[in-house]
Amino acid sequence: MENELNITHINLDGYVEVHKYRYVYFLLMFTVYIQIVCFNSTIVCLIWIHKNLHEPMYIFIAALLLNSVVFSTNIYPKLLIDVLSEKQIISYSACLFQFFIFYSLGCSEFLLLAAMSYDRYVSICKPLQYPTIMTKTNICILLVLAWVLAACHIAIPTILSAETKLCNFTFKGIVCNNAIYELHCVRSNIISVYGVVALVDLLILPFIFIVFTYTKILIIAYRSGREVRRKAAETCLPHLMVLISYSCLSVYDIVIARVESSFPKTARLIMTLQTIVYHSLFNPLIYGLKMKEISKHLNRLFCPARKI
């Protein structure tokens, strides 16, 4: 039994003709990773440096973009190593660690988006109470809760999976996601039930809260003057675009983990790449182009001769 449990390396079988196109894979993934790090880090640094961006809304944006950098760093370096290696393998402990970071950061994004929606709700619907509600202390509490709650929820299935015996050592993917449960000899009822609880706590409830707050904002903005509607459109539209994008990619991830093994490998690979590329790459573009103050600082940084 002990020898069986010591077999901890997993074969990653999600690549398509990796030996033939290894350098194409490497070039594309390396380019995307550098862009993700540079785009997100640039806006985070701008928010850090400029005092007029030290507001709750921009702090939450910085946290969201920082999430994207860490999320991508959890995935891309391993992918780059894999495509240049003769064998695409990962130890089960490293796979569980990647799984934990993948979902704890992924789920914290929904909680951060919920905090951002609450910030916009207070700012637009209760502007006089905004300074007393969105204090530095409350902002820190919301940030810590977003990361800690997600991490605690994901830690439990990760620990349970670490203690579960494996019968399959071929993983049909390139990133350790929910499909790791297919490696287990017996699917745990505890993990399945807890997965539903985590889904409700970390995804469904925050999503309902976000929809509720933005509905209230739209109602208030519709009843108010042009200035309130303009403010609501400028500050809420980017958040809604990110929410829709991330919700679609979350459904994508669930579908990937649930599709049958007969599902074409190429289609599975493309779907996986979309979940790890789009959100992290397009978030800074959305906020950089749609948020007026951030866009101003970006123009001053890259076009200093141009008058804003």
Side-chain angles (χ1 to χ4, degrees):
M1 177 67 71
E2 185 177 350
N3 291 332
E4 291 179 6
L5 293 176
N6 284 333
I7 303 175
T8 57
H9 283 84
I10 309 299
N11 295 312
L12 301 174
D13 190 38
Y15 293 95
V16 177
E17 297 190 64
V18 64
H19 298 294
K20 184 178 180 180
Y21 299 110
R22 66 170 72 250
Y23 296 110
V24 176
Y25 275 118
F26 182 87
L27 181 61
L28 291 175
M29 290 179 181
F30 182 75
T31 302
V32 169
Y33 179 55
I34 293 300
Q35 288 180 333
I36 288 172
V37 172
C38 291
F39 291 172
N40 286 279
S41 299
T42 298
I43 296 180
V44 171
C45 289
L46 287 176
I47 294 172
W48 178 275
I49 293 170
H50 297 284
K51 291 185 177 180
N52 69 319
L53 298 181
H54 292 181
E55 297 179 6
M57 177 175 65
Y58 298 111
I59 293 173
F60 288 126
I61 290 175
L64 203 66
L65 299 183
L66 188 61
N67 245 24
S68 295
V69 174
V70 180
F71 179 87
S72 299
T73 302
N74 176 55
I75 295 172
Y76 282 92
K78 175 60 176 144
L79 295 182
L80 295 174
I81 293 172
D82 285 341
V83 296
L84 294 181
S85 302
E86 288 300 318
K87 293 183 178 181
Q88 290 72 47
I89 61 175
I90 186 172
S91 68
Y92 187 53
S93 58
C95 187
L96 287 177
F97 179 77
Q98 188 180 71
F99 169 89
F100 172 74
I101 299 297
F102 184 92
Y103 284 108
S104 60
L105 291 180
C107 293
S108 69
E109 296 236 357
F110 265 105
L111 298 177
L112 287 172
L113 288 170
M116 294 166 77
S117 70
Y118 179 70
D119 170 73
R120 292 299 82 209
Y121 169 75
V122 176
S123 174
I124 295 171
C125 301
K126 300 181 179 181
L128 298 180
Q129 302 176 41
Y130 186 76
T132 58
I133 294 177
M134 299 306 295
T135 61
K136 289 184 178 180
T137 301
N138 289 339
I139 293 170
C140 290
I141 291 173
L142 290 173
L143 289 174
V144 171
L145 283 176
W147 284 314
V148 171
L149 283 177
C152 290
H153 273 75
I154 304 303
I156 294 175
T158 304
I159 294 171
L160 292 174
S161 295
E163 298 175 349
T164 303
K165 183 181 176 182
L166 305 182
C167 286
N168 181 14
F169 297 94
T170 300
F171 180 76
K172 297 182 182 299
I174 61 174
V175 177
C176 294
N177 55 16
N178 276 321
I180 65 169
Y181 298 139
E182 296 177 3
L183 304 177
H184 298 169
C185 296
V186 179
R187 183 166 292 241
S188 170
N189 290 329
I190 297 176
I191 293 178
S192 299
V193 172
Y194 187 81
V196 175
V197 173
L199 180 67
V200 172
D201 288 348
L202 300 177
L203 299 183
I204 296 177
L205 290 180
F207 183 82
I208 292 174
F209 177 79
I210 292 168
V211 171
F212 173 77
T213 52
Y214 281 122
T215 301
K216 293 283 288 185
I217 289 171
L218 289 174
I219 293 173
I220 296 296
Y222 178 77
R223 294 175 179 174
S224 303
R226 180 179 299 176
E227 182 64 24
V228 176
R229 287 196 293 270
R230 183 189 63 80
K231 180 181 178 182
E234 285 184 356
T235 60
C236 295
L237 183 60
H239 302 325
L240 286 172
M241 292 172 66
V242 171
L243 173 65
I244 294 170
S245 168
Y246 194 64
S247 298
C248 292
L249 293 177
S250 297
V251 173
Y252 239 41
D253 178 71
I254 295 172
V255 171
I256 291 171
R258 294 292 181 266
V259 291
E260 298 179 357
S261 57
S262 59
F263 197 72
K265 184 187 287 188
T266 302
R268 184 191 288 264
L269 175 63
I270 292 172
M271 291 173 71
T272 301
L273 290 174
Q274 287 177 324
T275 62
I276 64 176
V277 170
Y278 286 169
H279 189 65
S280 297
L281 188 60
F282 293 146
N283 268 10
L285 297 179
I286 292 173
Y287 287 121
L289 296 175
K290 293 295 183 181
M291 301 301 289
K292 188 176 180 181
E293 291 301 319
I294 294 177
S295 181
K296 282 182 180 180
H297 287 294
L298 286 173
N299 285 329
R300 288 172 185 153
L301 178 64
F302 294 107
C303 305
R306 182 181 173 184
K307 293 184 179 180
I308 307 299

